Amino acid sequence: MKVPVEKNKEYIVEIIDNGFEGEGIAKIDNFTIFIPHAIKGETVRILIVKVLSSHAFGKIIEIVSSSNCRVESDCVTYKRCGGCNLRHMKYIETLKIKHNAVQSLVNKTLKNKIQVEKVIGMDNPYYYRNKAQYPIGIDKHGQPIIGIFANRTHEIIPIHKCLIQNQQNEEIAKFIFNYLVANKISIYNEKTGKGLIRHIVIKIGIKTNQIMCILVVNGRTFPKEKQLVTKLINRFPRVKTIIKNINMKNTNVILGQDNINLYGKGYIEDKLGEYTFKISPLSFYQVNSLQAEQLYKIGIKAAEITRKDTVFDLYCGIGTISLFMSKYARKVYGIEIVKEAVDMAKENALLNQVENVEFIAGDVEKVLDELIFAKKIIPDIIMVDPPRKGLDNKSIDNILKIRPKRLIYISCNPATLIRDLSKLEDIYEIKSIMPVDMFPFTNHVECIAVLCLKETTNPLK
């Protein structure tokens, strides 16, 4: 097939759809072109910036006719940072795009063309993130800079008012940065690997207003750290702990494994539902805790847990959903590979006086094998919330061998969710897929899939 477009040439196209990342899709002679920030129904003049054999990429030069779903962006950096790539649309329209993306995956992949539920959105989709990670570096003029990485690069864009971060996060990060600059404390240079301060990470308990500050340092110490602690807690009394995280590796991973507590207990607390949770520097906690509470309530209701049921919670993190389920179950086993998260999960069980949970540190694949085949513990219900890569084949095989009566699959990646459901749907009926908007104005969407066993017998029971 002859490619009908050329790089660096302009074309006028109609946007016929939006893709998985919210990008506009156009066709010229049946050849697909992806155009960021374009909306279905618009006519736009584009410049072709990249051409491949099967498709091309363009950028908008002019909007010839605009969609009534388009709004003026309220953020000056969104096109560069890529954090909120849907800020040019009405919020309700972003929910439709996310729904369509999940439905399209279902239609292409599953035998059961189930109708995906409407996306559960937020009443107020602003300032929802309880965690901020700000890189610090040296700009092209040799000056210290704090901000966020530009999309697909390590160029730091200076902090402006971010409409998805908790407002206190930004204020505290700027205060720390100004202190570092005023006191000439060296800033990490990614190109040379020299300099001390690499990142500022802020976590906040939305319900408790407790704040954690993490300073990621390329070394064991930095000048005037005690003075910084004093100034920080005097200026921001809600800061309950300050941690120095040691990361001396040449890596894109933000946090190292070694934490030194400079102030407070080394953790903060937050509340989800009726439970209180300790949050440590390295442990995973949903960045949108308001929607996480919604997510967990939906998942637990769908699981229909009874006091006779043994439940496995795979990828349990600090035990949030395990504790939610413990109220209804006979026994809950939580499995998580991050040992610090499991330690925190055990503390959370003690803190909430929950006795019918057991947390196990280890690789999910191996621990699941041991529980089922060595200890002969067969769950009635399994809850999974894996990382973006989804479930490994061994875990799927084990689920199909033991055949729990219900499987609740929470996923932050619809593509791997639907892939895994396709491997399960011969044995399990997919009852529902419910998207939840955990990340408003981004292309990301969380989903809960509810699966029920088609057969009544379980070969390992």
Side-chain angles (χ1 to χ4, degrees), residues 50-280:
K50 186 176 183 180
V51 180
L52 302 174
S53 60
S54 59
H55 59 276
F57 297 89
K59 69 175 183 179
I60 296 175
I61 302 297
E62 176 192 0
I63 299 174
V64 178
S65 66
S66 179
S67 166
N68 59 10
C69 300
R70 180 173 289 279
V71 294
E72 280 295 318
S73 172
D74 47 10
C75 175
V76 297
T77 61
Y78 95 101
K79 285 187 178 180
R80 293 191 66 206
C81 89
C84 314
N85 55 336
L86 304 180
R87 292 213 81 87
H88 57 288
M89 298 181 187
K90 293 177 181 176
Y91 179 58
I92 191 70
E93 190 66 21
T94 70
L95 301 183
K96 292 177 185 176
I97 284 176
K98 295 181 186 194
H99 175 272
N100 291 342
V102 181
Q103 187 67 60
S104 178
L105 287 165
V106 167
N107 294 345
K108 289 177 181 176
T109 311
L110 298 182
K111 298 173 188 174
N112 176 14
K113 310 301 182 189
I114 184 171
Q115 185 62 39
V116 175
E117 305 283 343
K118 287 185 177 180
V119 182
I120 297 176
M122 295 190 76
D123 293 334
N124 179 21
Y126 297 92
Y127 307 117
Y128 57 83
R129 286 187 62 94
N130 58 35
K131 176 185 174 183
Q133 301 178 145
Y134 296 109
I136 301 177
I138 305 298
D139 68 15
K140 59 186 178 183
H141 304 294
Q143 298 301 308
I145 185 173
I146 182 173
I148 47 179
F149 286 128
N151 192 25
R152 305 182 194 278
T153 77
H154 270 220
E155 177 192 355
I156 298 175
I157 303 170
I159 288 180
H160 290 280
K161 183 181 180 182
C162 179
L163 295 164
I164 64 171
Q165 284 291 356
N166 185 284
Q167 290 161 294
Q168 293 178 84
N169 292 347
E170 195 171 297
E171 187 182 356
I172 292 169
K174 285 181 177 177
F175 179 89
I176 296 172
F177 176 72
N178 290 336
Y179 176 89
L180 298 174
V181 173
N183 287 275
K184 296 182 171 54
I185 297 168
S186 70
I187 303 300
Y188 183 72
N189 186 323
E190 196 174 62
K191 293 180 180 178
T192 65
K194 299 188 182 301
L196 285 172
I197 310 299
R198 299 176 67 142
H199 276 81
I200 297 170
V201 180
I202 314 289
K203 295 186 178 186
I204 180 168
I206 297 299
K207 295 284 182 67
T208 62
N209 255 318
Q210 296 181 14
I211 298 170
M212 171 189 295
C213 297
I214 306 168
L215 300 164
V216 184
V217 182
N218 180 37
R220 302 295 303 180
T221 187
F222 63 91
K224 300 185 178 180
E225 58 183 41
K226 290 182 179 178
Q227 294 93 317
L228 172 57
V229 168
T230 301
K231 287 184 177 295
L232 197 52
I233 59 178
N234 287 340
R235 176 66 178 82
F236 301 99
R238 288 175 176 166
V239 171
K240 299 304 178 186
T241 191
I242 301 170
I243 292 149
K244 181 170 54 179
N245 176 271
I246 312 303
N247 186 354
M248 299 170 68
K249 295 181 179 179
N250 182 14
T251 174
N252 291 335
V253 177
I254 292 173
L255 295 175
Q257 294 299 308
D258 190 6
N259 293 302
I260 298 172
N261 200 26
L262 299 179
Y263 170 75
K265 297 178 180 179
Y267 64 86
I268 57 172
E269 294 179 349
D270 197 18
K271 290 189 74 71
L272 277 181
E274 62 190 89
Y275 299 100
T276 300
F277 293 94
K278 291 181 178 179
I279 303 162
S280 66

Side-chain angles (χ1 to χ4, degrees), residues 7-24:
K7 185 178 179 181
N8 297 326
K9 285 194 71 174
E10 293 184 11
Y11 301 84
I12 293 178
V13 296
E14 292 184 4
I15 307 302
I16 59 173
D17 205 352
N18 284 101
F20 293 135
E21 296 187 2
E23 73 279 21

